[in-house]
Amino acid sequence: MVVRLTGKGLVLIDGQKWATHRSIINPAFSMDKLKDMVKLMATCTMSILDGWNHQATEAKDNSVKLEMNTEFQKVTADVISRTAFGSSYIQGREAFRAQRELQKYSAAANINVFIPGSQYLPTPSNIQAWKLDRKVKNKIKQIIRSRMKSHATNSDPSYGDDLLGLIIGASEHKESSSPKLSMDEIMEECKTFFFAGHETTSSLLTWTAFLLSLHQDWQEKLREEVLRECGMEIPDADMLSKLKLVNMVLLEVMRLYCPAIELNREVLQDIKVGNLMVPKNTCLTIPIIKIHRSKQHWGEDANEFNPFRFKDGITKAATHPNAFLGFGMGPRVCIGQNFAKLEAKTVLTLVLQRFSLTLSSEYKHAPINYITLQPQYGLPIIIKPLHP
């Protein structure tokens, strides 16, 4: 079920196929390409924030309670739809909605006891999941075919400057003897970055809003830095790179409430880890959430919010240089980490410029692994415009 949701792209493939996909897709996620997307990220964010401002100014006390998990999902959904599919983002958004619906079935399947073969039975939930999966695939295929047809009938040598165009272009412009991605492979990669590029960032922003609402002193620190470096301007990539405190806070949020709470890896050869011999082909689960809160690595305040632990960078934040696994580690480190960082910084900057955040008394702290880590009962936040 999860494979249908995330797509069998870079996250799930391995071996030579993974190496080929990575080499083809990597250029699409270069910093130079991503910097050009910041303006689009800001445009998507502002359209949501204008709605916040309208609701708040209409209220008697000039403030409004919002369910921030849902709000950030709207923002990141719009961002990934536009940056992934450009002018075809309306069609992309339809595919995204079907994928969001499919997530409900995937999360339910994860919770239930798995019975081998049950995924092939025509149960009501399976039938609905199959329909949604076909809808996602058909929508993405339509967009890909349309892009290729458009390219073939005009003189523009590129396939577009969105993620889809960059990936198609990177594949098609390889030397003729080099492997290329098929239609189905491009579609699976679209599903992967569509889900990963939206879901993980919305989770990160949600928990950031939660912690900044709890720690008003840090909310003020970040706002001062944002106003000093960006003023009230729409930030660009250069401005965002100067936000050191913002970066520290985002890293600390990922440490405490990492969107992906575990990693799964397969051992390629017999290896000895400490006193334990791990045989080849063993499947391992790496509990990120436990490593991130280990007092052995992070000190006695491991469960406390302390962004200053990252003041000298990630490798010096803990007693072990690889204790932080927010984006994974090694060759399979998250290819979209720079995209996620730029998006989170852009959204957070625009929010802090314009609103104060206060945790509602209705909030119930119950994090749950819903494919990504989310607040089980939502995140009600009271927002108030700083410039009515």
Side-chain angles (χ1 to χ4, degrees):
M1 186 73 79
V2 174
V3 175
R4 291 197 192 105
L5 177 65
T6 63
K8 198 169 184 181
L10 279 175
V11 174
L12 297 179
I13 59 177
D14 53 25
Q16 184 55 48
K17 187 174 183 179
W18 172 84
T20 299
H21 280 229
R22 182 89 182 197
S23 67
I24 291 173
I25 296 170
N26 208 48
F29 287 89
S30 69
M31 277 305 296
D32 287 341
K33 299 288 187 183
L34 296 179
K35 284 180 179 179
D36 295 334
M37 296 182 182
V38 172
K39 185 176 180 180
L40 197 53
M41 293 174 179
T43 300
C44 295
T45 305
M46 285 304 302
S47 67
I48 301 292
L49 299 191
D50 286 344
W52 293 8
N53 190 67
H54 177 73
Q55 291 180 65
T57 53
E58 289 291 308
K60 291 182 179 180
D61 59 352
N62 201 40
S63 65
V64 63
K65 180 180 67 181
L66 296 174
E67 204 294 279
M68 296 300 282
N69 192 32
T70 301
E71 293 298 315
F72 284 134
Q73 285 175 352
K74 291 177 186 177
V75 173
T76 57
D78 204 21
V79 167
I80 198 63
S81 296
R82 288 180 181 272
T83 56
F85 298 116
S87 59
S88 306
Y89 94 98
I90 296 294
Q91 290 174 285
R93 194 163 58 183
E94 292 176 15
F96 167 78
R97 285 173 179 165
Q99 197 174 35
R100 285 290 298 170
E101 188 68 20
L102 185 59
Q103 183 181 357
K104 297 177 183 178
Y105 293 93
S106 298
N110 267 9
I111 294 171
N112 296 332
V113 175
F114 176 69
I115 301 173
S118 61
Q119 69 270 36
Y120 303 112
L121 297 176
T123 62
S125 61
N126 278 346
I127 290 172
Q128 184 62 18
W130 296 338
K131 287 180 180 178
L132 291 168
D133 185 44
R134 285 195 299 271
K135 183 175 182 179
V136 172
K137 288 180 178 178
N138 289 337
K139 285 292 181 184
I140 295 176
K141 280 184 178 179
Q142 287 174 17
I143 296 170
I144 295 171
R145 288 196 182 103
S146 176
R147 187 68 58 89
M148 289 180 164
K149 182 178 180 181
S150 175
H151 172 77
T153 56
N154 63 42
S155 57
D156 187 353
S158 75
Y159 287 84
D161 57 2
D162 53 20
L163 289 177
L164 174 62
L166 294 172
I167 288 175
I168 296 175
S171 177
E172 292 297 312
H173 292 162
K174 286 274 183 180
E175 297 176 4
S176 57
S177 59
S178 300
K180 298 180 181 180
L181 299 186
S182 66
M183 167 76 77
D184 284 340
E185 287 175 321
I186 293 173
M187 180 194 66
E188 291 298 321
E189 292 298 347
C190 284
K191 288 174 68 177
T192 295
F193 65 66
F194 208 58
F195 176 79
H198 147 263
E199 187 68 19
T200 55
T201 309
S202 66
S203 175
L204 172 58
L205 287 166
T206 295
W207 293 114
T208 301
F210 166 68
L211 287 168
L212 290 181
S213 296
L214 281 181
H215 301 273
Q216 292 288 325
D217 56 332
W218 272 100
Q219 186 177 151
E220 286 306 313
K221 283 186 178 75
L222 295 202
R223 185 172 291 110
E224 288 173 9
E225 181 181 61
V226 164
L227 293 176
R228 182 173 65 251
E229 300 296 343
C230 308
M232 288 301 293
E233 294 182 45
I234 301 296
D236 57 27
D238 290 334
M239 290 178 185
L240 296 177
S241 68
K242 298 175 183 178
L243 301 178
K244 306 302 181 185
L245 291 179
V246 170
N247 189 60
M248 286 159 50
V249 164
L250 290 174
L251 291 173
E252 180 70 341
V253 173
M254 288 193 73
R255 186 185 70 82
L256 291 169
Y257 296 95
C258 195
I261 67 171
E262 63 184 29
L263 286 174
N264 295 305
R265 293 290 183 262
E266 182 179 347
V267 178
L268 298 180
Q269 61 186 32
D270 294 348
I271 187 172
K272 190 173 184 180
V273 181
N275 296 321
L276 182 66
M277 179 58 73
V278 184
K280 179 181 178 180
N281 298 328
T282 301
C283 293
L284 300 178
T285 296
I286 303 170
I288 296 176
I289 196 165
K290 289 187 178 180
I291 295 171
H292 280 187
R293 287 176 176 260
S294 166
K295 292 184 179 181
Q296 177 186 350
H297 298 311
W298 299 94
E300 290 301 314
D301 67 341
N303 290 315
E304 297 175 17
F305 179 68
N306 177 21
F308 280 130
R309 70 177 83 243
F310 288 100
K311 60 183 174 57
D312 296 318
I314 291 174
T315 59
K316 295 182 180 180
T319 58
H320 193 289
N322 296 331
F324 181 80
L325 296 169
F327 293 104
M329 187 64 62
R332 295 190 71 114
V333 67
C334 176
I335 195 172
Q337 64 174 305
N338 289 329
F339 181 97
K341 289 176 183 176
L342 281 175
E343 182 180 6
K345 286 183 179 180
T346 300
V347 175
L348 190 56
T349 294
L350 293 169
V351 170
L352 290 172
Q353 283 174 332
R354 292 161 174 78
F355 300 95
S356 65
L357 310 175
T358 306
L359 189 65
S360 169
S361 59
E362 297 177 8
Y363 175 72
K364 298 176 182 178
H365 192 59
I368 186 173
N369 185 22
Y370 189 66
I371 308 298
T372 58
L373 190 66
Q374 297 185 20
Q376 185 173 356
Y377 304 108
L379 177 62
I381 294 281
I382 298 169
I383 66 141
K384 187 171 185 177
L386 296 172
H387 313 284

